[in-house]
Amino acid sequence: MAELREAAAAEKPHQEDVGSKRGDVGDTPSNTCLAAEQVAENEADADSDTKPSTAATERHLSIQTKLEGLEMLVDLNGAGRKSCPLCPEEKFKACYSHKLRRHLQNLHWKVYVEFQGQRMCICHLPCRNLKPSLSGDQVSGRHVAHYHCVVCSVTIARKTDMISHLKRHINKGETEASYSGSSDVPFEEPAAPSGHAYEIMKELGTNVQLLPNHTTPQKSDTYFNRKMKTNRQLVFCSLAVLAEERNPLECLDAFGATGIMGLQWAKHLRNAIKVTITDISDTCVKMIKENCKLNHIRGDGSLRGPRGPDGEVEGVPIATVEVAKMDANVIMHLRAFDYIHLDPFGTAVNYLDAAFRNVRNLGIISVTSTDTSSLYAKSPNVTLRHYGCHIVRTEYYRELAARMVVATVARAAARCNKGIEVLLAVALEHFVLVVVRVLRGPTQADESAKKLRKLVHCQWCEERLFLKQGNMVDDTLPCNCHGSLPGKTAVQLGPLWSGSLFNTGFLRRMLSAAVQHSMDDIQPLVKTLICESECTTLKSFVHGPSALINQVECGVVIKTLQSGEESGPADQSGKRKTGEESGNIVKKLRSDVSLEHPPFYYSIHRHSIRGMNMPKLNKFLQYLTEAGFRVSRTHFDPTGVRTDATLLQFKSVLTKYSVPTYTNATAAQKSVSTEKTT
């Protein structure tokens, strides 16, 4: 034993010499590693009284789940002065327990960063390199406050930078702490509602699991936008209306993501439809199948219902959904559908040709475009590249975007010898939704192509007018801006869809479907659309069965519910009338073109008169109606007025019923002027 002690004593000064030689070397990687090891050893020595030395795989002492865990690092119940476990002695001197407890709460715990239940408190220990001075030398005593990442153990100084750093971990799927040693939660095992990896969201009675990065479409395949709830409900109502016409109905959700839309269809419409959900991502397909199990819906390939923990079948599936990993263009080329919904991230122009190729006659295609920057004239070069239209920023830019999307859809349908009838066109803040019915035949395609026209827009007064076939641009607008102002004031926009954007009968049946399925959020919007399609301010709606009767849409007899008095022999649903009856219907539709709602609208605030108080919007609508014009409000703009009056007539009525702002001041000025003249 004595010989071993002498050998250890002989080796000790030799090790010290080696350490001193290494310490003389400049800033090299080996020197940095040694400095980090020395810091770790100092931390271990400092914390030896309260906690054993931690290994590399264990969490840092600044990462705690509760405040009590941070206070347990120091025996606050004991007597005497105690040092802070997260501050060096030169920064925070030893103090009594009550002061140390207040220091831990107000300094370290108050500015924590939370990640999946773990809270990273701010640390002042010398874990990071010291701040270098301007000369390049490190200044003593200026240690940087920092946070320790719970995932990768890196140290970051700023709290905002740490939050951004954690978001990058989430986007990469790194949601587990490095010290736990466990991998990410696999998709094959359904996560519990209280799990950390998934978030359970319920919409319209349908539960879906969401990944932590579901709000970042650039990083996540399973993108979910809560603000698109209105869009999903409008699409659901349009599908419910089509399900009344034909049964069974084959429908496609071409971009499933989480599968929320297709699952809502299957859960509420049950056996009336056959739902197919596709996505090109493996992650999305696995997530959709998990959401099918969550809603007791049988996915493709599963012959039995969802099983419980003991292996027994929990219940009979309420519906069946086909889930396929396939590109949207491929499946639309291979199979035929009655209803197709396209909702990609951005524009849908790349999928329109495939959608119109095999869609069945009298079927419906709904298109959701979320590229609002190009639709709302913020990126005109992208607009020209995607939609082939030239547009500028106008007061009616939302309706301009809707007509531009419809024009693109009509051109894609015409290339497949099909025409369209626009059932619904909605443009809100986050999206543009267009729902069209497909009409087969070159004749219908020609009729739809004739409605694609150029729009003449005055950039001075914002008057607008669709060009007729063969018209010249000069002297077309009813305003006289081109004669009173030097230079050219009018520009050509488009080509755009010049026909109607709404079908009143279809919207009324959508309102009945919204009432039937308790969609209270979109009922005011659908009522506004019905008034806008008729260009009237009347709001008399009937939700009972008596409101649904047989209707004719483009020569197509649609079988719907009837009242007891009007019930009788009805034609076969979805069948086109033949012979003289069909010809009379087409003639009647052509004669009723003048009854369509007028295109575009005027903003009452855009054309207000300076120094005059405008009337209330509802009063102004009444004044326009009394003047003999058709008028209604519009969903595109809360201050917009849709009317068949020209801009000059609109301004004349607005001027007539506007009141000067300073009535008392003008009256006093008039009295003073009369006194001076006398």
Side-chain angles (χ1 to χ4, degrees):
M1 294 295 296
E3 295 177 357
L4 292 177
R5 290 177 182 176
E6 293 176 0
E11 290 180 357
K12 187 174 181 180
H14 175 69
Q15 294 176 356
E16 294 176 354
D17 295 338
V18 172
S20 61
K21 291 180 181 179
R22 290 181 179 178
D24 297 336
V25 182
D27 294 337
T28 59
S30 60
N31 186 28
T32 306
C33 297
L34 287 174
E37 293 175 0
Q38 292 174 2
V39 170
E41 292 175 1
N42 295 336
E43 289 180 9
D45 296 336
D47 300 332
S48 59
D49 297 337
T50 58
K51 188 178 180 180
S53 60
T54 58
T57 57
E58 296 183 356
R59 68 183 180 185
H60 192 263
L61 53 89
S62 63
I63 303 174
Q64 301 291 336
T65 57
K66 296 181 180 180
L67 177 61
E68 290 76 7
L70 188 63
E71 295 177 348
M72 287 177 61
L73 298 175
V74 183
D75 185 14
L76 296 178
N77 296 326
R81 299 176 181 268
K82 302 175 182 61
S83 301
C84 176
L86 298 179
C87 294
E89 186 69 23
E90 60 270 12
K91 180 176 178 60
F92 185 80
K93 296 182 179 180
C95 60
Y96 292 103
S97 299
H98 67 280
K99 187 177 180 180
L100 181 58
R101 181 183 286 107
R102 189 164 59 248
H103 167 77
L104 292 174
Q105 293 177 356
N106 297 337
L107 179 64
H108 297 285
W109 183 260
K110 191 175 182 180
V111 290
Y112 65 81
V113 178
E114 186 175 3
F115 180 77
Q116 296 184 0
Q118 302 290 335
R119 300 184 178 183
M120 294 162 277
C121 305
I122 193 167
C123 175
H124 291 272
L125 296 176
C127 307
R128 293 169 55 92
N129 293 331
L130 302 180
K131 277 189 175 181
S133 62
L134 296 177
S135 60
D137 300 333
Q138 292 183 347
V139 181
S140 60
R142 294 184 59 187
H143 295 284
V144 181
H146 56 275
Y147 296 91
H148 290 264
C149 179
V150 70
V151 179
C152 62
S153 302
V154 73
T155 57
I156 296 179
R158 295 178 180 270
K159 181 178 180 180
T160 54
D161 293 343
M162 174 57 75
I163 295 175
S164 303
H165 175 77
L166 293 174
K167 287 182 179 180
R168 286 193 291 270
H169 279 304
I170 294 174
N171 294 336
K172 295 178 182 179
E174 300 171 354
T175 57
E176 291 293 330
S178 58
Y179 57 82
S180 62
S182 61
S183 60
D184 295 337
V185 178
F187 290 101
E188 289 77 13
E189 299 179 4
S194 60
H196 296 293
Y198 295 113
E199 175 186 354
I200 304 298
M201 194 280 309
K202 186 173 184 180
E203 180 181 297
L204 199 63
T206 306
N207 298 319
V208 290
Q209 296 176 352
L210 303 178
L211 289 177
N213 57 348
H214 67 272
T215 58
T216 54
Q218 293 85 358
K219 301 293 184 181
S220 172
D221 296 327
T222 57
Y223 174 61
F224 180 82
N225 191 355
R226 301 177 187 272
K227 297 180 181 179
M228 298 291 286
K229 180 180 179 181
T230 303
N231 175 73
R232 287 187 286 269
Q233 292 185 354
L234 289 173
V235 172
F236 177 86
C237 290
S238 63
L239 177 61
V241 172
L242 184 62
E244 298 176 357
E245 302 174 8
R246 55 180 74 176
N247 191 2
L249 185 70
E250 294 187 19
C251 54
L252 171 67
D253 182 10
F255 300 90
T258 58
I260 176 66
M261 187 170 292
L263 295 177
Q264 288 177 353
W265 299 349
K267 194 165 187 178
H268 292 274
L269 300 180
R270 302 294 177 92
N271 297 327
I273 60 174
K274 298 179 180 179
V275 181
T276 302
I277 306 176
T278 62
D279 204 287
I280 194 62
S281 172
D282 293 329
T283 305
C284 293
V285 173
K286 294 177 182 178
M287 182 66 71
I288 293 170
K289 291 181 179 179
E290 294 297 334
N291 290 331
C292 289
K293 298 178 183 179
L294 191 63
N295 293 277
H296 301 281
I297 296 176
R298 186 174 63 185
D300 183 43
S302 58
L303 302 178
R304 299 180 181 179
R307 294 182 174 273
D310 54 351
E312 297 181 358
V313 179
E314 294 181 355
V316 180
I318 60 177
T320 303
V321 171
E322 179 182 356
V323 183
K325 179 185 178 298
M326 192 177 299
D327 186 76
N329 284 326
V330 175
I331 192 170
M332 288 187 292
H333 274 287
L334 294 177
R335 295 174 51 183
F337 294 95
D338 299 283
Y339 189 97
I340 298 176
H341 177 63
L342 302 176
D343 186 11
F345 178 68
T347 180
V349 295
N350 300 327
Y351 307 95
L352 294 178
D353 290 335
F356 281 100
R357 180 179 179 86
N358 284 333
V359 64
R360 293 192 175 97
N361 190 25
L362 306 181
I364 291 180
I365 294 179
S366 59
V367 179
T368 300
S369 299
T370 55
D371 54 333
T372 54
S373 60
S374 58
L375 292 174
Y376 293 162
K378 295 181 180 179
S379 303
N381 57 330
V382 182
T383 305
L384 185 62
R385 185 168 68 246
H386 287 172
Y387 299 96
C389 297
H390 170 66
I391 60 174
V392 295
R393 184 75 171 190
T394 61
E395 64 171 327
Y396 49 92
Y397 66 94
R398 288 184 178 173
E399 184 171 348
L400 199 69
R403 291 186 178 275
M404 183 170 56
V405 175
V406 175
T408 307
V409 172
R411 284 195 297 268
R415 287 192 291 268
C416 299
N417 288 333
K418 295 182 178 68
I420 63 170
E421 179 204 3
V422 183
L423 304 176
L424 172 67
V426 177
L428 297 178
E429 182 180 358
H430 307 287
F431 65 92
V432 175
L433 172 65
V434 171
V435 181
V436 299
R437 187 186 295 275
V438 181
L439 305 173
R440 280 189 177 180
T443 304
Q444 300 292 344
D446 294 339
E447 292 295 329
S448 299
K450 290 179 182 178
K451 296 181 180 180
L452 302 180
R453 297 179 183 177
K454 288 279 189 177
L455 180 72
V456 183
H457 169 78
C458 179
Q459 290 186 307
W460 183 258
C461 67
E462 298 214 12
E463 180 62 294
R464 74 300 305 248
L465 187 67
F466 277 112
L467 279 178
K468 296 182 180 179
Q469 298 293 335
N471 272 24
M472 302 297 293
V473 180
D474 297 337
D475 301 333
T476 301
L477 290 173
C479 64
N480 57 352
C481 296
H482 61 281
S484 60
L485 297 174
K488 296 181 179 180
T489 59
V491 293
Q492 286 192 26
L493 308 181
L496 305 171
W497 176 261
S498 62
S500 176
L501 294 179
F502 311 101
N503 185 288
T504 308
F506 191 85
L507 289 174
R508 289 186 178 275
R509 290 188 286 155
M510 282 184 60
L511 180 60
S512 301
V515 174
Q516 179 182 357
H517 295 280
S518 302
M519 298 182 183
D520 300 331
D521 299 336
I522 64 168
Q523 290 181 20
L525 175 60
V526 178
K527 291 179 181 179
T528 304
L529 295 176
I530 294 174
C531 293
E532 189 174 357
S533 64
E534 298 177 344
C535 199
T536 179
T537 56
L538 301 178
K539 293 185 178 181
S540 57
F541 302 99
V542 182
H543 303 316
S546 61
L548 304 179
I549 59 175
N550 280 359
Q551 304 174 49
V552 178
E553 298 174 4
C554 279
V556 181
V557 176
I558 305 302
K559 181 180 179 181
T560 58
L561 296 177
Q562 300 176 350
S563 60
E565 299 177 356
E566 298 177 355
S567 61
D571 297 334
Q572 189 176 359
S573 63
K575 295 294 183 180
R576 184 179 298 276
K577 285 192 173 184
T578 58
E580 299 179 357
E581 195 173 0
S582 178
N584 295 335
I585 291 171
V586 174
K587 290 181 181 179
K588 182 179 179 181
L589 288 173
R590 291 178 179 175
S591 63
D592 292 344
V593 172
S594 60
L595 298 179
E596 293 180 355
H597 63 86
F600 302 111
Y601 53 90
Y602 301 103
S603 176
I604 188 173
H605 289 291
R606 168 66 176 80
H607 301 286
S608 60
I609 304 168
R610 188 173 184 179
M612 304 286 285
N613 281 336
M614 298 180 302
K616 298 295 183 180
L617 184 56
N618 293 333
K619 283 289 185 180
F620 182 68
L621 296 178
Q622 182 180 353
Y623 296 149
L624 282 175
T625 305
E626 294 174 355
F629 300 109
R630 298 176 61 198
V631 63
S632 69
R633 303 188 70 167
T634 176
H635 81 280
F636 292 109
D637 189 355
T639 63
V641 177
R642 185 180 296 278
T643 178
D644 56 352
T646 63
L647 183 59
L648 295 177
Q649 296 169 341
F650 181 88
K651 286 185 176 181
S652 63
V653 177
L654 184 62
T655 306
K656 181 179 179 181
Y657 294 98
S658 296
V659 181
T661 306
Y662 304 102
T663 54
N664 298 331
T666 54
Q669 290 178 1
K670 288 182 179 179
S671 61
V672 171
S673 60
T674 53
E675 290 178 0
K676 288 182 179 180
T677 54
T678 54

